[in-house]
């Protein structure tokens, strides 16, 4: 269904809906009013949205929004308020239960399935990502300590990574999940580093190779498990930014073992990942179905348990609140670019993509999700590791 304005008849039906009172009472805990006048109030166009949301949880909330059954001017703030009031704990989540059971039984991130997220998400169209992202095409959280623009926040993040890795001219850097090559381009340009990047997206590899010019940067279209199987290549440094969310708990040990065999004994690794607060919690079922298939967020304890056999933890840095600003900047750029993007993407895509960006912003604003940077070493950094001034 497409979006449509709420009619008088629909409004009357909403008031007489058998679940109207309980729905209003639930939202009142987060100071949200159905069809209220404030920008974070939900505007119901189709009264059947109520039972769909209450019975299907996050999946019903997202799907009914894309269907045009409800709207919200400040969707990000509505989600933030709902999470802070823990409304998600009071609504049925059959999709979440199914996601948890699937993750326990099936290796959703197997080598065979690893390419799915590349095709469904990262290969959507470089025109979309060029419009939404900064000139380096960094598709991960920016660092907003001093920055006032998305461009500066992403360059500050890339420079922070390079400083934490203590990069020097002539070093070799492996980027596991390199995206469009933002870190490799920055490290090669500003630190004189030779870079190799791994990606499961053909579009990312194609774009990156076309924009890196004569820089010492190489893209490999491969899954991380298939790279350097004998450990014959050893890099001075390893970075993995925004890729660990696709690894999955069944593969954590394999991931860290691969990193260990590819890193020199005196090397450093930086892992940049979104994290969840609760071990065992599955990824949001709407996000998993429509945005990041087979995604899985780690908890802090899961990260420690998986990395301990292979690495020593040198540093842990949380700047998850910065992802709120990053996502809102992406949404602003996406909104401004929509008049030209709509030539290639339909209205349902617009509603889906806007929902994705704003809902994610709300989760970080509520501190329901985190953003972590870990610095790891194989044997303990000689003389001790010192985090740069950040």
């Amino acid at each position: 269904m497409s979006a449509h304005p709420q009619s008088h008849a629909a409004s009357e039906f909403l008031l007489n809906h058998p679940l109207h009172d309980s729905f209003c009472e639930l939202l009142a805990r987060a100071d949200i009013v159905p069809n209220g006048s404030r920008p974070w109030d939900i505007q119901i166009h189709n009264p059947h949205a109520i039972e769909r949301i209450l019975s299907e949880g996050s999946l019903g909330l997202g799907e009914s929004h894309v269907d045009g059954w409800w709207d919200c001017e400040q969707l990000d703030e509505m989600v933030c308020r709902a999470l802070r009031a823990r409304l998600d704990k009071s609504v049925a989540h059959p999709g979440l239960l199914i996601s948890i059971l699937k993750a326990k039984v099936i290796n959703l991130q197997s080598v065979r399935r690893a390419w799915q997220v590349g095709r469904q998400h990262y290969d959507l169209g470089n025109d979309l990502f060029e419009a939404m992202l900064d000139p380096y095409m960094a598709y991960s959280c920016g660092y907003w300590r001093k920055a006032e623009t998305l461009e500066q926040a992403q360059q500050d993040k890339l420079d922070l990574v390079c400083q934490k890795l203590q990069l020097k001219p002539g070093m070799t850097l492996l980027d596991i999940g390199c995206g469009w090559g933002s870190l490799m381009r920055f490290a090669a340009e500003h630190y004189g580093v030779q870079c190799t990047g791994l990606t499961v997206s053909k579009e990312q590899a194609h774009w990156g190779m076309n924009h890196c010019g004569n820089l010492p940067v190489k893209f490999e279209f491969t899954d991380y498990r298939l790279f350097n199987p004998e450990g014959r290549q050893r890099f001075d440094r390893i970075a993995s930014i925004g890729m660990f969310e696709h690894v999955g708990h069944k593969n954590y040990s394999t991931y860290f073992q691969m990193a260990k065999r590819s890193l020199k004994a005196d090397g450093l690794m930086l892992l940049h990942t979104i994290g969840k607060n609760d071990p065992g919690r599955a990824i949001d079922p709407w996000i998993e179905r429509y945005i990041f298939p087979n995604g899985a967020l780690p908890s802090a304890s899961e990260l420690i348990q998986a990395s301990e056999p292979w690495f020593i933890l040198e540093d842990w840095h949380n700047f998850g609140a910065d992802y709120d600003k990053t996502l809102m900047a992406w949404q602003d750029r996406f909104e401004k670019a929509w008049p030209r993007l709509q030539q290639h993407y339909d209205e349902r895509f617009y509603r889906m993509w806007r929902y994705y960006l704003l809902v994610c912003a709300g989760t970080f604003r509520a501190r329901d999700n985190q953003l972590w940077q870990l610095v790891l070493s194989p044997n303990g950094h000689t003389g001790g590791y010192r985090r740069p001034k950040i």
Side-chain angles (χ1 to χ4, degrees):
M1 291 186 180
S2 60
H4 53 80
Q6 180 187 348
S7 65
H8 178 71
S11 180
E12 288 295 316
F13 186 62
L14 178 64
L15 291 172
N16 296 320
H17 194 286
L19 295 175
H20 176 267
D21 289 347
S22 57
F23 186 61
C24 290
E25 289 172 6
L26 178 70
L27 294 186
R29 287 158 46 187
D31 191 26
I32 300 169
V33 178
N35 296 335
S37 59
R38 298 165 303 179
W40 61 83
D41 287 330
I42 186 171
Q43 305 300 318
I44 304 291
H45 305 310
N46 186 326
H48 294 296
I50 293 180
E51 59 238 53
R52 197 169 174 185
I53 293 168
L54 293 178
S55 64
E56 300 176 22
S58 171
L59 194 59
L61 184 73
E63 289 184 339
S64 60
H65 175 76
V66 175
D67 285 343
W69 288 18
W70 64 270
D71 279 300
C72 181
E73 183 182 343
Q74 288 186 1
L75 184 54
D76 49 304
E77 184 61 20
M78 186 198 81
V79 169
C80 176
R81 287 169 176 264
L83 289 174
R84 283 179 174 164
R86 302 182 68 81
L87 300 193
D88 56 315
K89 308 298 183 184
S90 303
V91 177
H93 281 72
L96 192 59
L97 178 60
I98 293 171
S99 296
I100 293 173
L101 293 174
K102 281 172 57 181
K104 288 184 178 296
V105 176
I106 305 170
N107 184 357
L108 297 173
Q109 300 82 19
S110 65
V111 174
R112 182 179 62 83
R113 300 170 68 99
W115 313 93
Q116 186 179 350
V117 70
R119 293 191 296 268
Q120 182 173 327
H121 187 86
Y122 298 108
D123 290 347
L124 273 171
N126 286 331
D127 59 338
L128 168 66
F129 292 105
E130 283 178 323
M132 186 179 83
L133 305 180
D134 66 295
Y136 274 100
M137 293 281 275
Y139 194 24
S140 57
C141 182
Y143 189 56
W144 292 84
R145 184 186 175 208
K146 297 179 180 178
E148 296 183 359
T149 65
L150 177 65
E151 290 79 0
Q152 191 60 54
Q154 292 295 10
Q155 289 187 43
D156 287 352
K157 185 270 300 295
L158 296 173
D159 194 51
L160 178 65
V161 171
C162 293
Q163 289 186 52
K164 286 184 176 182
L165 286 173
Q166 301 177 359
L167 293 182
K168 295 179 175 61
M171 281 186 171
T172 55
L173 171 68
L174 173 65
D175 190 347
I176 305 173
C178 63
W180 290 270
S182 59
L183 175 63
M184 295 195 295
R185 286 173 59 202
F186 188 90
E189 289 172 350
H190 297 278
Y191 286 83
V193 175
Q194 300 179 37
C195 307
T196 299
L198 313 181
T199 179
V200 293
S201 166
K202 287 184 178 180
E203 290 297 322
Q204 287 183 335
H206 179 73
W207 190 96
M209 287 186 291
N210 286 337
H211 286 78
C212 284
N214 297 319
L215 293 171
V217 168
K218 180 173 67 172
F219 288 79
E220 294 206 16
F221 180 57
T222 186
D223 180 76
Y224 67 94
R225 286 159 287 202
L226 305 178
F227 178 77
N228 193 28
E230 305 298 327
R232 293 174 182 170
Q233 295 186 66
R234 295 277 181 159
F235 295 82
D236 295 299
R237 301 290 189 262
I238 294 178
S240 189
I241 301 179
M243 177 271 180
F244 197 76
E245 299 90 333
H246 304 298
V247 173
H249 73 278
K250 289 182 178 292
N251 308 295
Y252 287 166
S253 181
T254 301
Y255 172 91
F256 284 113
Q257 185 178 11
M258 173 268 174
K260 180 74 174 282
R261 73 169 179 257
S262 301
L263 185 61
K264 291 181 179 179
D266 61 349
L268 290 172
M269 175 180 180
L270 184 138
L271 176 61
H272 171 120
T273 181
I274 297 171
K276 62 187 178 185
N277 295 335
D278 305 317
R281 188 183 76 185
I283 193 171
D284 178 271
W286 187 88
I287 292 289
E288 198 275 339
R289 178 176 293 184
Y290 294 100
I291 306 298
F292 293 115
N294 309 319
L297 301 182
S299 70
S301 58
E302 289 168 347
L303 270 176
I304 290 296
Q305 291 173 8
S307 62
E308 273 182 338
W310 311 103
F311 288 97
I312 291 173
L313 176 64
E314 299 283 2
D315 187 64
W316 192 304
H317 181 194
N318 184 350
F319 54 99
D322 284 16
Y323 227 143
D324 177 12
K325 293 183 179 180
T326 304
L327 284 153
M328 294 304 293
W330 289 344
Q331 164 58 18
D332 181 63
R333 292 170 66 93
F334 171 68
E335 201 75 44
K336 290 175 179 175
W338 182 247
R340 69 176 187 274
L341 289 174
Q342 63 183 340
Q343 300 175 34
H344 306 289
Y345 305 88
D346 61 18
E347 187 66 20
R348 283 185 65 85
F349 179 87
Y350 168 78
R351 293 182 67 85
M352 179 191 76
W353 203 255
R354 178 181 182 273
Y355 183 83
Y356 148 56
L357 294 172
L358 292 178
V359 164
C360 288
T363 68
F364 284 100
R365 191 176 308 162
R367 301 311 305 276
D368 194 59
N369 284 330
Q370 312 302 326
L371 189 284
W372 298 318
Q373 282 190 353
L374 284 65
V375 176
L376 307 165
S377 67
N379 304 301
H381 198 56
T382 303
Y385 178 82
R386 297 290 182 269
R387 181 196 288 181
K389 293 182 179 180
I390 57 175

